[in-house]
Structures are given as C-alpha cells and as structure tokens.
C-alpha cells in the first residue's frame, strides 16, 4: 500500500511540474485535484516524521546527562502525541487510496435506479405476508428518498410496480418494482469521491456518518445490500407455534430507457402476447394485453399483465429483463476479475440468510456485518433497516478490497524480489564462467 501512496504523491508532483510548464489546464487540473488530498496528507505525515526524528536525536543526546530526566519526560510525551496524530492520518490516506465506493461500480451506485425483485420462499402464507411487509417497508423508505421517519434524507423517489402476485390473505408471492430518483443521480448529496467520514475510529456521531454515506447514493446504491434471503421468526396469527419463513430479495441496477434497446437487441428477444388472467375487469381474458419477454441467450424471462395496454406491459417487461441481463453480465465480469460473488436470489431456503427478523425477541440481526437492532416493527415498518445496515456493509466491502490490494502488492513485491535475485544469480554465473 505504501508503494501506491508514494506513486500517487510522485504523480502529483509530476502533474504540478507539467502545469507550470504550460500543460493542458483542464485535463491536468482535474487530475491534480484528485491527487491533492493524498499529497497534502503525505506532506503532513512527512512533517510529523521529521519532527519525530529531531526529537529522537535530542533524546539520544540528553539521555546520558544527570539532570535530564524532566526534559526526557517532555520529549517522550511529545513523541507519544506525534504517534497519536499519525493514526488518523494513516486512516485518511487509506480512505483516499481506496474510497468507500468501489470505482468499478461508481456509476451504478450513484446514478442508477433500482429494480427490486421480491419472492416469498420457505414458509407458505407466512412467507407471503412477510414479503408484503418488506415490500411496504421499501416503498416507505423510497418515498422518503432514503431518508428517515423525520424526513431527513432527500427528495422522494418514484416507485413503479412492474408486477405483483398477491394472495387472498394480502400477502405477496412475488413482486418487481422500480425505484427511481427524479432527475437522476443520488439521494441529494452528489458523489464526493468516497465516504471518508464514515470511519469507526472517527469522533463523529453514528447518525452523521450514516447521513454522509446515504445522501450520496442513488436508489440502486441505497438498496443494493438488501439482496439476499431475509428470514423471519414469529408466531403466525392462525397458529400457536413459532414458524421460520424466508423471503428472497434481489436488487438490480435499472438501465435507462434509452439504453434498453442497446442492451437487448431484437434478435436476442422472444416476445409472446396472450390474454391476461385473474381479476381486472373487462380486458381480462378478452384482449391479448399480457406480454412475456424472453432473452434467448440467457433464458431470462418476465411476464407482465398489470397494465391494460399491451404496449405498456411490453415496456415494463423489457425494463425488467434488461435489468436482469445487465446484472448477470456484471456478475460475469466480476468473476473474470476474480471477484466472484454469490447468487443474489439464492434458493429462497431458510438456511441461506443474510438477515433474521426475530419477533419474539424483538430483534433484527444482519449476519454479514454482525449488527443487531431492537424494535422489529419500527425498523421494518418504515424500511429503516436499509439505512441502518447499509453503511456497515459498505465499510465491510471496502475492507475486503483493502485486503485484496494488500495481497496484490505483496505478490508484486515478491515477484520483484525474485526477479532481482534471479538477475544477480545470472550475473554471478557469467563471471564464474569467464
């Protein structure tokens, strides 16, 4: 990691020289701006190290003097203070080198709308009822633009239900909805290059840290860590025993309408029309308004009958299929980068859980970040669990990238040493031969 930091500092100095030499002000100025933070931190660290060296020299000069105890104590105290100053600077440098938002996903996280698929899994009617509660919570938090119950957040996001299959008891078997920001972009703050203020060692309040993170995300970035299997434990209304049920959620980045055609060439699509079924008025079973869109290469399919218009159902189907195909391609690209990720939807089985909602103990636990909160209804009802766990999960993802980069740096350094060692052996062998 130190090599990366030194490289960025060196590049900053090179750009400064090019600007002074009459280089392109626009291009170089933008690059200089992105490197100024790490350069400033490097300068501060260098100043502290220089002061530390001076104090160590003074300490070494005075340690043999008989009456120098008081002075030595003062020097040691100053050295301790310098060490304290270095710790937060090191954390800030790491935050600049490896921002909290993954650069590979930055556009989707800050600008993309979200397609949310919800499917009841294990648990029958109880799973369907819980799926309806999760869906209602997502709709509630989306209306607040990712904000909280007091309105702290941003402008309201738009919600469009693409499809929903309900049960007689008011549950949801499966549903797909789109959460979109008005005018595009994030939740109201604009991306600032990384959520550096979210630091467990920082003195700011948790609420301020959370706001700094969430206000910069678009709908997809806000909801993305809801992907996975949500497990609920509670006693159903019509039963006396506690039951465990599961609901699978997948959050996908939604493609803009003007990119759907590019992502889904007509030659890769099969579109079938049919009569809608179920309740809905005169158009049901009389007109071919329902549409099934299939992406032939992947087999991804969406069936739409919510609208009376075939054209509108087709547009919804294309939007949903495009989002699913786009996500599949992202996952394949991630695997190519050796960043394999598990399936978003899972099997809907109770053992594949990311979060447990325990009603008897009135507790929600996210099993990825190991964080628990009390008050299931208050967090679930307003969708506030999204705000609570999201920042912790972003921090965890960043820590994983830090470990990966450190391993890559260690491997590169090992190869460099091996190459240098081989070079020295080769030269030595030539000399002996001669």
């Amino acid at each position: 990691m130190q090599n990366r930091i030194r490289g960025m500092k060196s590049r900053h100095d090179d750009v400064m020289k090019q600007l002074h030499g009459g280089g392109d002000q626009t291009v170089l100025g933008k690059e200089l701006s992105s490197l100024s933070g790490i350069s400033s931190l490097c300068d501060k660290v260098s100043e502290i190290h220089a002061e530390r060296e001076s104090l160590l020299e003074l300490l070494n000069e005075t340690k043999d003097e008989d009456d120098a105890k008081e002075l030595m104590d003062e020097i040691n105290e100053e050295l301790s203070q310098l060490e304290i100053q270095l710790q937060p600077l090191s954390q800030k440098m790491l935050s600049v080198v490896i921002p909290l938002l993954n650069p590979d996903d930055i556009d989707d996280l800050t600008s993309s709308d979200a397609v949310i698929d919800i499917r009841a899994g294990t648990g029958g009617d109880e799973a369907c009822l819980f799926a309806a509660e999760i869906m209602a919570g997502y709709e509630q938090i989306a209306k607040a633009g990712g904000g909280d119950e007091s309105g702290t957040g941003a402008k309201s996001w738009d919600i469009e239900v693409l499809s929903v299959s309900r049960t007689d008891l008011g549950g949801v078997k499966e549903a797909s909805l789109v959460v979109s920001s008005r005018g595009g972009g994030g939740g109201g703050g604009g991306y600032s290059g990384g959520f550096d203020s979210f630091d467990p060692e920082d003195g700011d309040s948790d609420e301020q840290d959370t706001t700094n993170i969430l206000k910069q995300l678009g709908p997809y970035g806000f909801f993305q860590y809801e992907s996975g299997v949500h497990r609920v434990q509670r006693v159903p209304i019509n039963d006396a025993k506690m039951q465990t049920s599961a609901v699978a959620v997948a959050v996908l980045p939604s493609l803009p309408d003007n990119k759907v055609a590019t992502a889904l060439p007509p030659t890769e699509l099969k579109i079938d029309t049919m009569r809608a079924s179920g309740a809905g008025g005169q158009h049901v079973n009389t007109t071919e308004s329902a549409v099934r869109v299939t992406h032939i290469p992947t087999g991804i399919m969406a069936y739409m009958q919510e609208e009376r218009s075939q054209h509108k159902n087709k547009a919804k189907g294309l939007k949903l299929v495009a989002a699913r195909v786009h996500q599949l391609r992202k996952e394949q690209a991630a695997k190519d980068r050796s960043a394999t990720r598990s399936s978003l939807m899972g099997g809907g089985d109770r053992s594949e859980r990311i979060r447990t909602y325990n009603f008897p103990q009135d507790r929600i636990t996210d099993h990825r970040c190991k964080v628990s909160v009390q008050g299931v209804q208050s967090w679930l009802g307003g969708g506030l669990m999204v705000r609570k766990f999201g920042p912790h999960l972003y921090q965890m993802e960043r820590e994983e990238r830090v470990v990966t980069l450190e391993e890559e740096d260690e491997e590169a350094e090992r190869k460099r040493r091996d190459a240098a060692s081989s070079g020295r052996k080769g030269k030595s062998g030539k000399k002996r031969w001669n």
Side-chain angles (χ1 to χ4, degrees):
M1 198 62 64
Q2 292 299 321
N3 289 336
R4 292 177 185 269
I5 293 174
R6 284 192 288 268
M8 294 174 73
K9 170 62 175 172
S10 176
R11 178 57 185 167
H12 173 272
D13 296 341
D14 290 342
V15 171
M16 283 286 290
K17 292 179 182 178
Q18 292 180 42
L19 282 171
H20 292 153
D24 189 319
Q25 297 290 320
T26 302
V27 176
L28 293 176
K30 186 176 181 179
E31 185 177 2
L32 183 68
S33 177
S34 67
L35 295 170
S36 59
I38 193 68
S39 177
S40 176
L41 289 170
C42 286
D43 291 340
K44 290 180 181 178
V45 170
S46 296
E47 291 174 5
I48 291 176
H49 279 300
E51 186 175 352
R52 182 174 178 274
E53 289 298 321
S54 297
L55 288 172
L56 288 173
E57 289 179 7
L58 180 59
L59 184 64
N60 188 55
E61 292 172 358
T62 58
K63 67 180 181 179
D64 295 329
E65 299 179 10
D66 296 335
D67 58 347
K69 183 178 184 307
E70 184 176 348
L71 178 59
M72 291 175 65
D73 289 343
E74 292 179 1
I75 294 174
N76 285 323
E77 177 63 24
E78 290 186 36
L79 287 171
S80 298
Q81 292 299 318
L82 291 178
E83 291 297 328
I84 293 174
Q85 293 177 37
L86 278 174
Q87 291 177 4
L89 289 176
S90 298
Q91 288 294 326
K92 289 181 179 179
M93 291 177 78
L94 190 62
S95 297
V96 173
V97 176
I98 307 176
L100 193 55
L101 289 188
N102 192 333
D104 293 332
D105 301 326
I106 190 65
D107 290 337
D108 281 341
L109 296 177
T110 59
S111 303
S112 290
D113 297 334
V115 174
I116 304 177
D117 283 342
I118 302 170
R119 187 181 74 234
T122 305
D125 287 336
E126 179 63 20
C128 293
L129 291 171
F130 187 59
E133 292 180 62
I134 287 182
M135 180 176 174
Y138 290 164
E139 289 177 322
Q140 191 70 20
I141 194 69
K143 289 177 182 177
D148 57 22
E149 68 277 10
S150 64
T152 302
K155 296 180 179 179
S156 174
W157 288 333
D158 291 329
I159 304 166
E160 179 187 9
V161 177
L162 297 180
S163 66
V164 61
S165 174
R166 296 190 180 274
T167 67
D168 294 337
L169 296 177
V172 170
K173 293 181 180 179
E174 56 183 354
S176 297
L177 55 148
V178 176
V179 179
S180 56
S181 58
R182 298 173 181 177
Y191 181 57
S192 64
F195 305 122
D196 302 339
S197 62
F198 183 69
D199 186 346
E201 303 298 326
D202 199 0
D204 292 338
S205 67
D206 290 342
E207 182 61 29
Q208 184 62 44
D209 290 335
T210 300
T211 301
N212 288 340
I213 291 173
L214 298 178
K215 71 181 182 179
Q216 301 176 71
L217 297 173
Y220 171 69
F222 181 78
F223 282 103
Q224 75 152 336
Y225 285 118
E226 291 301 294
S227 291
V229 176
H230 300 241
R231 188 178 71 165
V232 58
Q233 295 175 317
R234 64 183 174 186
V235 178
I237 298 176
N238 58 352
D239 201 343
K241 297 180 180 179
M242 188 171 73
Q243 180 175 324
T244 300
S245 305
V247 172
V249 175
V251 181
L252 319 170
S254 175
L255 287 179
D257 292 340
N258 59 358
K259 293 185 179 180
V260 170
T262 304
L264 300 177
T267 55
E268 296 183 359
L269 294 175
K270 179 183 179 183
I271 299 177
D272 301 306
T273 59
M274 60 208 72
R275 294 181 180 181
S277 59
Q282 293 181 352
H283 80 292
V284 174
N285 293 322
T286 59
T287 61
E288 292 193 342
S289 58
V291 176
R292 181 172 60 235
V293 180
T294 304
H295 185 244
I296 299 172
T298 61
I300 292 174
M301 183 269 291
Y303 173 80
M304 294 291 160
Q305 65 167 26
E306 299 299 308
E307 302 290 341
R308 295 176 179 270
S309 164
Q310 183 188 107
H311 177 73
K312 291 182 179 179
N313 282 327
K314 178 182 176 182
K316 283 187 172 183
L318 288 171
K319 191 177 189 72
L320 184 54
V321 169
R324 290 173 175 170
V325 171
H326 176 60
Q327 181 64 24
L328 179 63
R329 290 169 178 166
K330 279 185 61 182
E331 291 176 354
Q332 291 173 340
K335 290 179 180 179
D336 292 340
R337 296 193 304 267
S338 299
T340 56
R341 299 173 182 174
S342 60
S343 170
L344 285 177
M345 288 299 289
D349 185 79
R350 68 189 69 187
S351 65
E352 303 173 33
R353 67 189 189 279
I354 63 164
R355 192 176 299 155
T356 295
Y357 303 74
N358 190 311
F359 277 76
Q361 298 180 13
D362 199 27
R363 183 183 67 239
I364 302 177
T365 300
D366 192 288
H367 303 289
R368 297 163 294 181
C369 60
K370 312 299 182 185
V371 174
S372 297
V373 294
Q374 296 296 132
V376 176
Q377 289 290 6
S378 60
W379 290 100
L380 176 61
L384 299 179
M385 70 282 189
V386 186
R387 306 181 75 249
K388 178 63 180 179
F389 299 118
H392 295 282
L393 295 167
Y394 270 106
Q395 184 70 8
M396 284 185 63
E397 191 274 338
R398 176 178 171 272
E399 289 171 357
E400 290 177 359
R401 282 187 283 122
V402 170
V403 172
T404 300
L405 287 176
E406 287 177 343
E407 291 175 349
E408 291 176 356
D409 288 348
E410 290 176 1
E411 179 65 17
E413 179 63 19
R414 185 188 64 78
K415 291 181 178 179
R416 187 192 66 78
R417 290 196 301 267
D418 290 346
S421 177
S422 298
R424 288 193 297 270
K425 290 180 180 178
K427 291 181 181 179
S428 176
K430 288 181 178 179
K431 289 180 179 179
R432 286 196 297 270
W433 178 259
N434 292 334

